[in-house]
Amino acid sequence: MSNKLDLKATGALLMEADSIIMCCHVSPDCDTLGSALGLMLYLQKQGKKVEVYVDDVVNSSFNFLPGIEQVKHPEPEQIYTADLFVVIDSSSFDRIGICNTVIKAPKLLNIDHHISNTEFAEYLYLDAKAAAVGEIMVDLFVECGWEMDKAIAENFYTAISTDCGSFRYSNTTPKTMRTGAILLEKGVNPNEISENLGLNTKETLEKLAKVLPSLSFAYEGKVAYMSLPNEIYDKNVSTETFVSYPRYIEGVDVGIFFKEVEPGKTRVSMRSYKTDVAAIAVRFDGGGHIRAAGCTVMAGIEEAREQVLAVIGEMLAD
């Protein structure tokens, strides 16, 4: 079990360390990246040595995030040390890939907002009601009296905006909107953020054209899914938004995107309107939120589909 911290204690733990390594989860999104980068920029201004690692490809569509050029990829044969190891936006230790073995520090802090958090870290700040870790970061800065410049605020705003669907998803609360207002007061231009997030590369659209014909339905149309087999997978092409296509179909409750990233290894993204997809993800050692969750199934894409759909069928029957 973790030692559960409040915001003040979390800030104190960060300020006590001279060297800090932060880690984002695999398949990094703007919440994990923006939250880590905004905190990194502030702590570096305080004279601390801060590094951010991701054991995965960071898609070029995120290049507009301030500080993104500092993100590093861990090497399996090296050991990285610091006073404090901070895991950002991850509910379980395996979600950070090899970072959980190659990064060594006497203290481990997890800052997260997933209801499925496994309390793997020695120290934990968890707010499952927060729309994004980016929202937690703003709370942390306000509580500790830390100053946000425009670059920091842009990272946090992007983190929040993406995780609540540009303030459209059910996790958007009045507090989320007030937090966004704080960031606008720091100079964030929401139109610039939305324009950057809305851009697609030619390669992404070409990949989508290949995946859309795989659209299929199950359980009388309550479940829709698309699949990307390993033979057409390209780690350098962003597919983060693909799960939205099966989700936004009339009559569909659960939308799923299956992506076979290696032969025998399939990543699964799920979104829903009613079904608790976090409970489904946990069955496969994944996690997330009630309406948005994911997992990795150690199986080929066809077997992974069968396994996940079977669990969903159980839940729909209940």
Side-chain angles (χ1 to χ4, degrees):
M1 298 290 287
S2 299
N3 296 307
K4 297 181 178 65
L5 306 181
D6 59 18
L7 289 169
K8 282 284 190 183
T10 302
L13 188 61
L14 289 163
M15 296 308 295
E16 287 169 4
D18 292 322
S19 59
I20 300 170
I21 291 178
M22 287 190 279
C23 185
C24 301
H25 59 69
V26 296
S27 295
D29 56 19
C30 283
D31 189 24
T32 191
L33 288 168
S35 298
L37 292 173
L39 183 58
M40 176 198 76
L41 292 174
Y42 176 79
L43 293 173
Q44 286 177 341
K45 284 188 173 184
Q46 311 314 305
K48 300 181 184 299
K49 178 184 177 184
V50 186
E51 297 175 301
V52 174
Y53 283 87
V54 183
D55 182 25
D56 209 340
V57 173
V58 177
N59 197 270
S60 61
S61 62
F62 301 149
N63 284 351
F64 69 95
L65 291 171
I68 193 73
E69 71 283 353
Q70 295 191 49
V71 173
K72 301 178 180 181
H73 189 279
E75 298 296 333
E77 66 277 5
Q78 293 191 27
I79 296 295
Y80 307 87
T81 61
D83 298 331
L84 178 64
F85 181 16
V86 185
V87 177
I88 304 289
D89 191 34
S90 183
S91 60
S92 60
F93 210 28
D94 60 342
R95 280 282 287 153
I96 60 174
I98 66 168
C99 287
N100 64 11
T101 59
V102 301
I103 298 173
K104 305 294 183 182
K107 295 180 179 179
L108 174 61
L109 168 66
N110 179 208
I111 303 175
D112 190 33
H113 71 134
H114 293 98
I115 196 170
S116 58
N117 191 280
T118 59
E119 299 191 23
F120 63 88
E122 179 186 5
Y123 300 99
L124 171 66
Y125 182 83
L126 175 66
D127 182 358
K129 294 181 179 179
V133 173
E135 187 174 311
I136 293 173
M137 289 296 170
V138 177
D139 291 342
L140 176 65
F141 273 61
V142 171
E143 181 68 22
C144 295
W146 297 350
E147 184 59 39
M148 281 182 281
D149 60 19
K150 183 179 179 182
I152 293 170
E154 285 177 338
N155 273 308
F156 293 163
Y157 183 90
T158 306
I160 297 168
S161 177
T162 51
D163 247 33
C164 68
S166 299
F167 306 94
R168 293 178 293 116
Y169 294 167
S170 61
N171 60 343
T172 304
T173 66
K175 180 176 179 293
T176 306
M177 303 298 283
R178 288 193 292 269
T179 302
I182 290 171
L183 297 172
L184 295 186
E185 290 169 351
K186 300 297 180 180
V188 172
N189 295 310
N191 59 303
E192 293 178 3
I193 303 296
S194 63
E195 286 166 7
N196 279 304
L197 290 171
L199 288 176
N200 281 304
T201 65
K202 175 176 174 286
E203 291 76 17
T204 292
L205 291 178
E206 288 174 341
K207 189 68 65 180
L208 178 62
K210 293 180 179 179
V211 171
L212 277 173
S214 72
L215 178 66
S216 302
F217 297 86
Y219 303 112
E220 300 178 335
K222 294 178 182 177
V223 177
Y225 57 91
M226 299 195 310
S227 305
L228 195 164
N230 183 252
E231 52 264 30
I232 63 170
Y233 171 70
D234 185 343
K235 65 181 182 180
N236 295 308
V237 176
S238 175
T239 58
E240 184 182 353
T241 62
F242 285 15
V243 70
S244 297
Y245 290 87
R247 180 179 188 249
Y248 289 118
I249 298 174
E250 185 178 2
V252 170
D253 176 22
V254 182
I256 317 170
F257 178 53
F258 296 93
K259 178 170 62 176
E260 190 177 15
V261 296
E262 297 174 15
K265 182 178 180 179
T266 302
R267 288 181 181 166
V268 184
S269 298
M270 295 176 282
R271 303 290 185 269
S272 74
Y273 289 101
K274 298 179 182 178
T275 300
D276 183 354
V277 290
I280 299 167
V282 166
R283 293 275 291 270
F284 298 93
D285 297 322
H289 308 285
I290 293 174
R291 301 288 175 257
C295 59
T296 298
V297 180
M298 299 309 295
I301 196 163
E302 292 184 6
E303 183 180 345
R305 277 200 307 261
E306 291 179 6
Q307 293 182 23
V308 173
L309 288 173
V311 173
I312 293 175
E314 294 173 12
M315 296 194 69
L316 290 176
D318 291 339

